[in-house]
mmCIF file of all heavy atoms in Angstrom:
data_model
loop_
_atom_site.group_PDB
_atom_site.id
_atom_site.type_symbol
_atom_site.label_atom_id
_atom_site.label_comp_id
_atom_site.label_asym_id
_atom_site.label_seq_id
_atom_site.Cartn_x
_atom_site.Cartn_y
_atom_site.Cartn_z
ATOM 1 N N CYS A 605 0.855 -1.223 0.017
ATOM 2 C CA CYS A 605 -0.019 -0.007 -0.020
ATOM 3 C C CYS A 605 0.902 1.219 0.009
ATOM 4 O O CYS A 605 1.645 1.452 0.954
ATOM 5 C CB CYS A 605 -0.945 0.043 1.248
ATOM 6 S SG CYS A 605 -1.989 -1.320 1.332
ATOM 7 N N CYS A 606 0.715 2.043 -1.055
ATOM 8 C CA CYS A 606 1.568 3.292 -1.144
ATOM 9 C C CYS A 606 0.679 4.556 -1.218
ATOM 10 O O CYS A 606 -0.495 4.337 -1.718
ATOM 11 C CB CYS A 606 2.506 3.219 -2.260
ATOM 12 S SG CYS A 606 1.731 3.035 -3.871
ATOM 13 N N ARG A 607 1.147 5.664 -0.678
ATOM 14 C CA ARG A 607 0.333 6.955 -0.798
ATOM 15 C C ARG A 607 -1.018 6.734 -0.229
ATOM 16 O O ARG A 607 -2.009 7.159 -0.702
ATOM 17 C CB ARG A 607 0.267 7.414 -2.080
ATOM 18 C CG ARG A 607 1.580 7.688 -2.857
ATOM 19 C CD ARG A 607 2.300 8.817 -2.266
ATOM 20 N NE ARG A 607 3.542 8.992 -2.967
ATOM 21 C CZ ARG A 607 4.724 9.242 -2.390
ATOM 22 N NH1 ARG A 607 4.649 9.504 -1.065
ATOM 23 N NH2 ARG A 607 5.822 9.477 -3.017
ATOM 24 N N SER A 608 -1.010 5.990 0.983
ATOM 25 C CA SER A 608 -2.346 5.803 1.660
ATOM 26 C C SER A 608 -2.237 6.341 3.045
ATOM 27 O O SER A 608 -1.119 6.559 3.656
ATOM 28 C CB SER A 608 -2.753 4.338 1.640
ATOM 29 O OG SER A 608 -1.766 3.561 2.179
ATOM 30 N N THR A 609 -3.336 6.567 3.684
ATOM 31 C CA THR A 609 -3.374 7.072 5.008
ATOM 32 C C THR A 609 -3.050 6.089 6.083
ATOM 33 O O THR A 609 -3.280 4.836 5.767
ATOM 34 C CB THR A 609 -4.784 7.818 5.343
ATOM 35 O OG1 THR A 609 -5.725 6.710 5.395
ATOM 36 C CG2 THR A 609 -5.117 8.913 4.284
ATOM 37 N N PRO A 610 -2.625 6.343 7.271
ATOM 38 C CA PRO A 610 -2.482 5.376 8.292
ATOM 39 C C PRO A 610 -3.718 4.480 8.601
ATOM 40 O O PRO A 610 -3.576 3.252 8.793
ATOM 41 C CB PRO A 610 -2.084 6.174 9.580
ATOM 42 C CG PRO A 610 -1.397 7.430 8.916
ATOM 43 C CD PRO A 610 -2.242 7.673 7.754
ATOM 44 N N LEU A 611 -4.761 5.141 8.583
ATOM 45 C CA LEU A 611 -6.043 4.390 8.808
ATOM 46 C C LEU A 611 -6.369 3.399 7.704
ATOM 47 O O LEU A 611 -6.802 2.281 7.949
ATOM 48 C CB LEU A 611 -7.274 5.382 8.973
ATOM 49 C CG LEU A 611 -8.629 4.772 9.186
ATOM 50 C CD1 LEU A 611 -8.664 4.073 10.513
ATOM 51 C CD2 LEU A 611 -9.765 5.763 9.149
ATOM 52 N N GLN A 612 -6.096 3.807 6.379
ATOM 53 C CA GLN A 612 -6.337 2.804 5.326
ATOM 54 C C GLN A 612 -5.309 1.639 5.445
ATOM 55 O O GLN A 612 -5.808 0.454 5.248
ATOM 56 C CB GLN A 612 -6.003 3.582 3.966
ATOM 57 C CG GLN A 612 -7.110 4.572 3.638
ATOM 58 C CD GLN A 612 -6.870 5.293 2.401
ATOM 59 O OE1 GLN A 612 -5.656 5.518 2.130
ATOM 60 N NE2 GLN A 612 -7.833 5.738 1.561
ATOM 61 N N LYS A 613 -4.184 1.850 5.875
ATOM 62 C CA LYS A 613 -3.199 0.779 6.001
ATOM 63 C C LYS A 613 -3.676 -0.180 7.132
ATOM 64 O O LYS A 613 -3.658 -1.405 6.886
ATOM 65 C CB LYS A 613 -1.794 1.332 6.344
ATOM 66 C CG LYS A 613 -1.181 2.146 5.213
ATOM 67 C CD LYS A 613 0.118 2.703 5.753
ATOM 68 C CE LYS A 613 0.853 3.659 4.694
ATOM 69 N NZ LYS A 613 2.070 4.218 5.218
ATOM 70 N N SER A 614 -4.060 0.295 8.200
ATOM 71 C CA SER A 614 -4.517 -0.589 9.299
ATOM 72 C C SER A 614 -5.825 -1.269 8.913
ATOM 73 O O SER A 614 -6.065 -2.428 9.150
ATOM 74 C CB SER A 614 -4.588 0.191 10.617
ATOM 75 O OG SER A 614 -5.743 1.087 10.538
ATOM 76 N N MET A 615 -6.639 -0.589 8.163
ATOM 77 C CA MET A 615 -7.864 -1.370 7.757
ATOM 78 C C MET A 615 -7.700 -2.456 6.763
ATOM 79 O O MET A 615 -8.344 -3.392 6.777
ATOM 80 C CB MET A 615 -8.838 -0.277 7.037
ATOM 81 C CG MET A 615 -9.503 0.705 8.060
ATOM 82 S SD MET A 615 -10.341 2.119 7.226
ATOM 83 C CE MET A 615 -11.693 1.116 6.304
ATOM 84 N N VAL A 616 -6.668 -2.257 5.900
ATOM 85 C CA VAL A 616 -6.239 -3.370 4.952
ATOM 86 C C VAL A 616 -5.804 -4.581 5.861
ATOM 87 O O VAL A 616 -6.235 -5.720 5.568
ATOM 88 C CB VAL A 616 -5.242 -2.917 4.006
ATOM 89 C CG1 VAL A 616 -4.726 -4.128 3.217
ATOM 90 C CG2 VAL A 616 -5.898 -1.910 2.929
ATOM 91 N N VAL A 617 -4.999 -4.343 6.778
ATOM 92 C CA VAL A 617 -4.342 -5.404 7.547
ATOM 93 C C VAL A 617 -5.473 -6.073 8.334
ATOM 94 O O VAL A 617 -5.568 -7.312 8.342
ATOM 95 C CB VAL A 617 -3.314 -4.904 8.491
ATOM 96 C CG1 VAL A 617 -2.815 -5.923 9.567
ATOM 97 C CG2 VAL A 617 -2.075 -4.305 7.685
ATOM 98 N N LYS A 618 -6.353 -5.272 8.964
ATOM 99 C CA LYS A 618 -7.436 -5.849 9.744
ATOM 100 C C LYS A 618 -8.391 -6.628 8.882
ATOM 101 O O LYS A 618 -8.888 -7.765 9.311
ATOM 102 C CB LYS A 618 -8.219 -4.737 10.493
ATOM 103 C CG LYS A 618 -7.470 -4.230 11.635
ATOM 104 C CD LYS A 618 -8.177 -3.086 12.305
ATOM 105 C CE LYS A 618 -7.372 -2.313 13.304
ATOM 106 N NZ LYS A 618 -8.021 -1.104 13.894
ATOM 107 N N LEU A 619 -8.615 -6.147 7.709
ATOM 108 C CA LEU A 619 -9.589 -6.821 6.751
ATOM 109 C C LEU A 619 -8.936 -8.198 6.402
ATOM 110 O O LEU A 619 -9.765 -9.236 6.422
ATOM 111 C CB LEU A 619 -9.782 -5.949 5.492
ATOM 112 C CG LEU A 619 -10.624 -6.600 4.404
ATOM 113 C CD1 LEU A 619 -12.156 -6.668 4.873
ATOM 114 C CD2 LEU A 619 -10.578 -5.646 3.112
ATOM 115 N N VAL A 620 -7.810 -8.249 5.947
ATOM 116 C CA VAL A 620 -7.075 -9.426 5.493
ATOM 117 C C VAL A 620 -7.043 -10.493 6.741
ATOM 118 O O VAL A 620 -7.294 -11.614 6.504
ATOM 119 C CB VAL A 620 -5.673 -9.113 4.939
ATOM 120 C CG1 VAL A 620 -4.966 -10.392 4.675
ATOM 121 C CG2 VAL A 620 -5.836 -8.413 3.622
ATOM 122 N N ARG A 621 -6.661 -9.928 7.862
ATOM 123 C CA ARG A 621 -6.511 -10.740 9.009
ATOM 124 C C ARG A 621 -7.836 -11.406 9.451
ATOM 125 O O ARG A 621 -7.991 -12.563 9.826
ATOM 126 C CB ARG A 621 -5.915 -9.988 10.140
ATOM 127 C CG ARG A 621 -5.216 -10.726 11.107
ATOM 128 C CD ARG A 621 -4.599 -9.780 12.181
ATOM 129 N NE ARG A 621 -4.687 -10.389 13.494
ATOM 130 C CZ ARG A 621 -4.463 -9.875 14.619
ATOM 131 N NH1 ARG A 621 -4.269 -8.611 14.658
ATOM 132 N NH2 ARG A 621 -4.480 -10.609 15.735
ATOM 133 N N ARG A 622 -8.919 -10.616 9.487
ATOM 134 C CA ARG A 622 -10.235 -10.964 9.838
ATOM 135 C C ARG A 622 -10.862 -11.861 8.932
ATOM 136 O O ARG A 622 -11.422 -12.968 9.297
ATOM 137 C CB ARG A 622 -11.094 -9.790 10.273
ATOM 138 C CG ARG A 622 -12.496 -10.111 10.762
ATOM 139 C CD ARG A 622 -13.258 -8.901 11.018
ATOM 140 N NE ARG A 622 -13.555 -8.091 9.767
ATOM 141 C CZ ARG A 622 -13.178 -6.889 9.576
ATOM 142 N NH1 ARG A 622 -12.455 -6.199 10.381
ATOM 143 N NH2 ARG A 622 -13.505 -6.364 8.325
ATOM 144 N N GLN A 623 -10.893 -11.535 7.660
ATOM 145 C CA GLN A 623 -11.651 -12.317 6.639
ATOM 146 C C GLN A 623 -11.011 -13.514 6.267
ATOM 147 O O GLN A 623 -11.545 -14.595 6.032
ATOM 148 C CB GLN A 623 -12.021 -11.398 5.532
ATOM 149 C CG GLN A 623 -12.873 -10.236 5.838
ATOM 150 C CD GLN A 623 -14.377 -10.668 6.231
ATOM 151 O OE1 GLN A 623 -14.897 -11.686 5.725
ATOM 152 N NE2 GLN A 623 -14.941 -9.843 6.983
ATOM 153 N N LEU A 624 -9.647 -13.500 5.938
ATOM 154 C CA LEU A 624 -8.884 -14.522 5.354
ATOM 155 C C LEU A 624 -8.298 -15.464 6.461
ATOM 156 O O LEU A 624 -7.889 -16.581 6.150
ATOM 157 C CB LEU A 624 -7.819 -14.149 4.384
ATOM 158 C CG LEU A 624 -8.231 -13.315 3.252
ATOM 159 C CD1 LEU A 624 -6.960 -12.919 2.488
ATOM 160 C CD2 LEU A 624 -9.260 -14.069 2.428
ATOM 161 N N LYS A 625 -8.316 -15.058 7.744
ATOM 162 C CA LYS A 625 -7.758 -15.731 8.874
ATOM 163 C C LYS A 625 -6.383 -16.221 8.556
ATOM 164 O O LYS A 625 -6.077 -17.408 8.714
ATOM 165 C CB LYS A 625 -8.702 -17.009 9.197
ATOM 166 C CG LYS A 625 -10.024 -16.409 9.776
ATOM 167 C CD LYS A 625 -10.974 -17.492 10.081
ATOM 168 C CE LYS A 625 -12.277 -17.079 10.621
ATOM 169 N NZ LYS A 625 -12.889 -15.882 10.176
ATOM 170 N N VAL A 626 -5.458 -15.239 8.075
ATOM 171 C CA VAL A 626 -4.080 -15.606 7.849
ATOM 172 C C VAL A 626 -3.144 -14.750 8.779
ATOM 173 O O VAL A 626 -3.772 -13.789 9.417
ATOM 174 C CB VAL A 626 -3.706 -15.295 6.491
ATOM 175 C CG1 VAL A 626 -4.447 -16.300 5.530
ATOM 176 C CG2 VAL A 626 -3.996 -13.904 6.094
ATOM 177 N N MET A 627 -1.891 -15.109 8.939
ATOM 178 C CA MET A 627 -1.049 -14.365 9.672
ATOM 179 C C MET A 627 -0.523 -13.122 8.801
ATOM 180 O O MET A 627 -0.079 -13.422 7.705
ATOM 181 C CB MET A 627 0.137 -15.183 10.136
ATOM 182 C CG MET A 627 1.047 -14.588 11.100
ATOM 183 S SD MET A 627 2.230 -15.583 11.782
ATOM 184 C CE MET A 627 1.270 -16.381 13.049
ATOM 185 N N THR A 628 -0.518 -11.995 9.468
ATOM 186 C CA THR A 628 -0.009 -10.782 8.696
ATOM 187 C C THR A 628 1.253 -10.290 9.274
ATOM 188 O O THR A 628 1.432 -10.366 10.507
ATOM 189 C CB THR A 628 -1.241 -9.770 8.831
ATOM 190 O OG1 THR A 628 -1.494 -9.447 10.190
ATOM 191 C CG2 THR A 628 -2.478 -10.189 8.063
ATOM 192 N N LEU A 629 2.015 -9.676 8.454
ATOM 193 C CA LEU A 629 3.329 -9.034 8.777
ATOM 194 C C LEU A 629 3.204 -7.676 8.160
ATOM 195 O O LEU A 629 2.875 -7.532 6.970
ATOM 196 C CB LEU A 629 4.437 -9.786 8.208
ATOM 197 C CG LEU A 629 5.789 -9.156 8.233
ATOM 198 C CD1 LEU A 629 6.473 -9.609 9.593
ATOM 199 C CD2 LEU A 629 6.645 -9.561 7.068
ATOM 200 N N SER A 630 3.494 -6.647 8.992
ATOM 201 C CA SER A 630 3.515 -5.281 8.509
ATOM 202 C C SER A 630 4.927 -4.677 8.724
ATOM 203 O O SER A 630 5.432 -4.891 9.808
ATOM 204 C CB SER A 630 2.469 -4.445 9.202
ATOM 205 O OG SER A 630 1.221 -4.829 8.889
ATOM 206 N N ILE A 631 5.331 -3.970 7.827
ATOM 207 C CA ILE A 631 6.669 -3.350 7.880
ATOM 208 C C ILE A 631 6.495 -1.898 7.633
ATOM 209 O O ILE A 631 5.800 -1.414 6.623
ATOM 210 C CB ILE A 631 7.633 -3.899 6.835
ATOM 211 C CG1 ILE A 631 7.686 -5.414 6.888
ATOM 212 C CG2 ILE A 631 9.023 -3.213 6.891
ATOM 213 C CD1 ILE A 631 8.447 -6.064 5.619
ATOM 214 N N GLY A 632 7.001 -0.978 8.529
ATOM 215 C CA GLY A 632 7.006 0.391 8.297
ATOM 216 C C GLY A 632 8.150 1.075 8.859
ATOM 217 O O GLY A 632 8.944 0.581 9.660
ATOM 218 N N ASP A 633 8.304 2.422 8.457
ATOM 219 C CA ASP A 633 9.450 3.149 8.959
ATOM 220 C C ASP A 633 9.130 4.438 9.527
ATOM 221 O O ASP A 633 10.096 5.194 9.869
ATOM 222 C CB ASP A 633 10.434 3.416 7.693
ATOM 223 C CG ASP A 633 9.804 4.114 6.573
ATOM 224 O OD1 ASP A 633 8.579 4.459 6.662
ATOM 225 O OD2 ASP A 633 10.615 4.622 5.684
ATOM 226 N N GLY A 634 7.942 4.825 9.694
ATOM 227 C CA GLY A 634 7.545 6.195 10.294
ATOM 228 C C GLY A 634 6.376 6.121 11.062
ATOM 229 O O GLY A 634 5.740 5.111 11.366
ATOM 230 N N ALA A 635 6.035 7.277 11.587
ATOM 231 C CA ALA A 635 4.877 7.474 12.403
ATOM 232 C C ALA A 635 3.574 7.025 11.789
ATOM 233 O O ALA A 635 2.571 6.685 12.403
ATOM 234 C CB ALA A 635 4.823 8.865 12.993
ATOM 235 N N ASN A 636 3.482 7.357 10.433
ATOM 236 C CA ASN A 636 2.243 6.903 9.735
ATOM 237 C C ASN A 636 2.078 5.427 9.582
ATOM 238 O O ASN A 636 0.982 5.016 9.153
ATOM 239 C CB ASN A 636 2.292 7.664 8.397
ATOM 240 C CG ASN A 636 3.426 7.208 7.474
ATOM 241 O OD1 ASN A 636 4.458 6.659 8.079
ATOM 242 N ND2 ASN A 636 3.334 7.396 6.247
ATOM 243 N N ASP A 637 3.030 4.667 9.897
ATOM 244 C CA ASP A 637 2.843 3.250 9.833
ATOM 245 C C ASP A 637 2.576 2.533 11.177
ATOM 246 O O ASP A 637 2.393 1.365 11.201
ATOM 247 C CB ASP A 637 4.214 2.607 9.285
ATOM 248 C CG ASP A 637 4.459 3.038 7.894
ATOM 249 O OD1 ASP A 637 3.523 3.273 7.109
ATOM 250 O OD2 ASP A 637 5.652 3.366 7.548
ATOM 251 N N VAL A 638 2.451 3.212 12.275
ATOM 252 C CA VAL A 638 2.298 2.681 13.593
ATOM 253 C C VAL A 638 0.978 1.871 13.710
ATOM 254 O O VAL A 638 1.017 0.781 14.125
ATOM 255 C CB VAL A 638 2.386 3.844 14.736
ATOM 256 C CG1 VAL A 638 1.982 3.239 16.007
ATOM 257 C CG2 VAL A 638 3.802 4.307 14.779
ATOM 258 N N SER A 639 -0.184 2.491 13.256
ATOM 259 C CA SER A 639 -1.354 1.797 13.347
ATOM 260 C C SER A 639 -1.334 0.436 12.549
ATOM 261 O O SER A 639 -1.914 -0.542 12.974
ATOM 262 C CB SER A 639 -2.551 2.663 12.958
ATOM 263 O OG SER A 639 -2.371 3.143 11.580
ATOM 264 N N MET A 640 -0.738 0.450 11.391
ATOM 265 C CA MET A 640 -0.620 -0.784 10.473
ATOM 266 C C MET A 640 0.203 -1.764 11.216
ATOM 267 O O MET A 640 -0.138 -2.993 11.330
ATOM 268 C CB MET A 640 -0.008 -0.375 9.161
ATOM 269 C CG MET A 640 0.250 -1.514 8.371
ATOM 270 S SD MET A 640 1.142 -1.088 6.790
ATOM 271 C CE MET A 640 2.629 -0.511 7.300
ATOM 272 N N ILE A 641 1.330 -1.396 11.768
ATOM 273 C CA ILE A 641 2.234 -2.277 12.633
ATOM 274 C C ILE A 641 1.494 -2.966 13.739
ATOM 275 O O ILE A 641 1.620 -4.071 14.065
ATOM 276 C CB ILE A 641 3.507 -1.557 13.014
ATOM 277 C CG1 ILE A 641 4.391 -1.290 11.768
ATOM 278 C CG2 ILE A 641 4.246 -2.386 14.060
ATOM 279 C CD1 ILE A 641 5.513 -0.344 12.070
ATOM 280 N N GLN A 642 0.761 -2.093 14.460
ATOM 281 C CA GLN A 642 0.061 -2.645 15.603
ATOM 282 C C GLN A 642 -1.155 -3.542 15.271
ATOM 283 O O GLN A 642 -1.640 -4.349 16.039
ATOM 284 C CB GLN A 642 -0.444 -1.485 16.470
ATOM 285 C CG GLN A 642 0.748 -0.789 17.183
ATOM 286 C CD GLN A 642 0.307 0.445 17.996
ATOM 287 O OE1 GLN A 642 -0.809 0.985 17.883
ATOM 288 N NE2 GLN A 642 1.104 0.894 18.906
ATOM 289 N N ALA A 643 -1.715 -3.396 14.139
ATOM 290 C CA ALA A 643 -2.866 -4.150 13.680
ATOM 291 C C ALA A 643 -2.421 -5.548 13.227
ATOM 292 O O ALA A 643 -3.279 -6.456 13.169
ATOM 293 C CB ALA A 643 -3.620 -3.435 12.644
#
C-alpha cells in the first residue's frame, strides 16, 4: 500500500486478518505506519 493514510493501511491489515484468517506481517519506517504495525 503506497500513498495511503495510516487508517487505510490498518484497515487493509485488519480486513485481511479477519476475513482470510491468515497471519499478517507489516513493515513500516515512520509514524504513519504505527497503526498498521500494531494491527
Side-chain angles (χ1 to χ4, degrees):
C605 298
C606 61
R607 303 288 179 223
S608 56
T609 66
L611 181 63
Q612 288 174 330
K613 293 176 186 179
S614 68
M615 286 173 61
V616 168
V617 172
K618 288 176 185 174
L619 178 70
V620 169
R621 201 174 149 198
R622 184 181 63 240
Q623 296 293 331
L624 300 180
K625 294 180 179 37
V626 295
M627 185 171 283
T628 55
L629 171 92
S630 292
I631 305 167
D633 65 346
N636 59 342
D637 298 323
V638 169
S639 59
M640 173 185 66
I641 288 172
Q642 290 177 338

